[in-house]
């Protein structure tokens, strides 16, 4: 590295090809940073697993996730982003010039944007992944609309599950909320709102139950079977949709030793010089679901990708390179 020519050092490498990564690359390319974007194993990110997106502004027709992400890739390529379809195995943060290590190659860069997203937790049941986007969802804000006036179930007991139940209570007919414990981890204020929905019989609670089986008929979810060892009971609930709200795992394992995280999510340094996306390491920025414990939407990920690219540009100008 010491005798490496400076023209081998890239200005900016973006890790991840979800809405955050592609948006960052579009802004960085337009700022003439000649970004490299490394896609990871899930090119296009989480949206590629959904069949229908109805909340991306400007896309009124039924849009498949993969179509939207292919368009983002085309946009990034048109502006001369170099796209590498590989996974980053490691980053060496120990020197000012960062080393981004892939299976057979290393890249050197002055700045990096981490946009590695997150992966929803699943229950581990048969049919679960196969029916994602076709009766099973991990995102009520994204998919709730498709279950208008229908009965659905939600699994979970934390803030996300309760927020999803409250959100869906304005859309669906009845919500069956299944939680494996007696007490809920969600905040009291959310629980108070939930209990109002329970009183109205909009939400039916099943505590101490877990989902045991997803029952499919004619290629559609027909019902779920729930069981309680504690109560020695088994029930079948007819539903049109199952929302799994048991959390998500941010993809930060490979950085965890060096980049500060909280519950796995990258923590951002306090705002300074109007920079709002920098991690604890100078020149390393983070964007999208990997930092987001609240919104986790394509549009919020894209917006933070934009901010990270603008921040990286500002940082690079301070280096006089
Ligand atoms: P992600 O989309 O998670 O992308 C992360 C990227 O990082 C991937 O390309 C991955 O390959 C890459 N990566 C990870 N590790 C590495 C590594 N080591 N090296 C290189 N690359 C790596 N949101 C909406 O707004 N509307 C919807 O309708 C909607 N529907 C959804 C449906 C489903 C089933 C799911 C799961 C999510 C949905 N969401 C929706 C949420 C939305 O997909 C996410 O909020 C958004 O994709 C987050 O974008 P991101 O760029 O932060 O990360």
């Amino acid at each position: 590295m010491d005798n490496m020519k400076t023209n081998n050092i890239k200005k900016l490498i973006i890790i991840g090809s979800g809405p955050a990564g592609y948006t960052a690359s579009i802004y960085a390319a337009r700022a003439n940073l000649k970004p490299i974007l490394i896609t990871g194993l899930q090119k296009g990110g989480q949206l590629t697993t959904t069949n229908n997106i109805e909340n991306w502004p400007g896309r009124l027709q039924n849009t498949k996730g993969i179509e939207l992400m292919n368009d983002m890739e085309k946009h990034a390529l048109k502006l001369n982003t170099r796209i590498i379809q590989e996974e980053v195995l490691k980053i060496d943060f120990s020197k000012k010039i960062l080393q981004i290590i892939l299976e057979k190659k290393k890249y050197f860069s002055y700045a990096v944007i981490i946009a590695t997203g997150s992966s929803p937790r699943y229950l581990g049941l048969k049919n679960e992944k196969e029916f994602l986007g076709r009766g099973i969802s991990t995102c009520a804000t994204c998919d709730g609309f498709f279950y208008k006036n229908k009965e659905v179930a939600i699994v979970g007991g934390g803030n996300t599950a309760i927020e999803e139940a409250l959100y869906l209570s304005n859309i669906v007919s009845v919500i069956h909320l299944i939680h494996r414990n007696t007490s809920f981890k969600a905040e009291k204020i959310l629980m108070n709102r939930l209990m109002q929905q329970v009183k109205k019989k909009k939400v039916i609670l099943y505590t101490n139950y877990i989902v045991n089986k997803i029952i499919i008929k004619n290629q559609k979810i027909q019902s779920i079977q729930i069981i309680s060892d504690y109560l020695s009971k088994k029930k079948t609930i007819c539903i049109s949709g199952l929302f799994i709200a048991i959390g998500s795992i941010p993809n930060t394992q490979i950085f965890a030793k060096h980049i500060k995280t909280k519950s796995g999510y990258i923590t951002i340094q306090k705002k300074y010089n109007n920079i709002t996306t920098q991690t604890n390491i100078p020149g390393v920025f983070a964007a999208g679901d990997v930092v987001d414990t609240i919104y986790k939407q394509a549009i919020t990920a894209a917006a933070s990708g934009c901010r990270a690219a603008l921040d990286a540009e500002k940082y690079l100008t301070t280096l006089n390179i």
Side-chain angles (χ1 to χ4, degrees), residues 237-256:
I237 310 172
C238 289
I239 47 158
S240 304
L242 173 65
F243 289 84
I244 301 166
I246 54 172
S248 54
I249 309 164
N251 300 318
T252 50
Q253 296 82 345
I254 61 164
F255 319 109

Side-chain angles (χ1 to χ4, degrees), residues 121-128 135-137 152-157 176-181 204-216 221-229 233-239 241-246:
R121 279 183 209 275
Y122 292 98
L123 300 167
L125 294 173
K126 194 173 162 221
N127 297 326
E128 194 179 13
I136 295 188
S137 170
V152 301
I154 300 179
V155 190
H176 302 270
L177 181 62
I178 297 137
H179 179 39
R180 62 182 175 177
N181 293 327
I204 303 170
L205 294 182
Y206 304 81
T207 51
N208 283 310
Y209 276 94
I210 59 164
V211 180
N212 183 43
K213 224 188 253 175
I214 300 165
I215 299 146
I216 307 290
I221 293 198
Q222 191 222 30
S223 55
I224 48 170
Q225 185 189 70
I226 60 171
I227 55 164
S228 170
D229 283 344
K233 277 190 179 167
K234 204 183 256 184
K235 288 177 194 276
T236 300
I237 310 172
C238 289
I239 47 158
L242 173 65
F243 289 84
I244 301 166
I246 54 172

Side-chain angles (χ1 to χ4, degrees), residues 11 25-35 309-310 313:
K11 284 191 174 161
S25 79
I26 289 164
Y27 275 77
R30 295 189 78 242
N32 207 21
L33 301 183
K34 300 185 174 60
L310 296 176
E313 194 215 351

Side-chain angles (χ1 to χ4, degrees), residues 15-21 38-47 49-50 52-55 86-89 115-118 120 122 132 138-139 142-143 251 254-255 287-290 296-299 301:
I15 308 173
S17 55
I38 301 168
T39 64
L41 299 180
Q42 191 180 37
K43 187 168 161 229
Q46 292 173 66
L47 276 190
T49 62
T50 184
N52 219 340
I53 299 170
E54 289 199 344
N55 55 10
E86 274 194 61
E87 190 185 13
V88 173
L89 300 182
T116 47
S118 65
Y122 292 98
L132 256 187
T138 54
C139 176
C142 315
D143 298 332
N251 300 318
I254 61 164
F255 319 109
D289 275 17
V290 79
K296 297 177 189 163
Q297 293 292 291
I299 193 86

